[in-house]
Amino acid sequence: ADLFLTTSPNSKSIQFETWVNKDGNFSKAGKSKEMPSGAKVVGQSVFADFDGDGQSEHLLPVCEDETCQRSAIYLTKLGLDQVM
């Protein structure tokens, strides 16, 4: 991905968009992904090659309640719908 956006189409929803630069024009790569179900607070996205396969993964910390007493970390490969 050349550009990764976190968007909020309404006050209760967060989506993630991946864009690719093709000859100077950005094109949306696939459909927007919704934030994980059950997430109340979404943290800062981190991108790195966590599994050493040469491609970056998306790591997303979330809180499952408003006070962040219950938290989780989601890891996804860019371009796939699978969440680990």
Side-chain angles (χ1 to χ4, degrees), residues 39-76:
K40 302 292 185 205
V41 179
V42 175
Q44 179 68 49
S45 292
V46 176
F47 300 91
D49 183 7
F50 292 102
D51 61 6
D53 69 352
Q55 294 190 350
S56 292
E57 288 82 38
H58 175 209
L59 183 134
L60 182 70
V62 301
C63 295
E64 296 174 339
D65 61 357
E66 298 294 332
T67 60
C68 284
Q69 296 299 306
R70 292 188 331 259
S71 59
I73 297 174
Y74 291 89
L75 182 68
T76 61

Side-chain angles (χ1 to χ4, degrees), residues 19-48:
W19 294 74
V20 177
N21 183 349
K22 295 180 181 176
D23 299 323
N25 296 312
F26 281 93
S27 300
K28 194 172 179 183
K31 59 183 180 178
S32 299
K33 290 186 181 181
E34 299 289 327
M35 71 178 179
S37 62
K40 302 292 185 205
V41 179
V42 175
Q44 179 68 49
S45 292
V46 176
F47 300 91

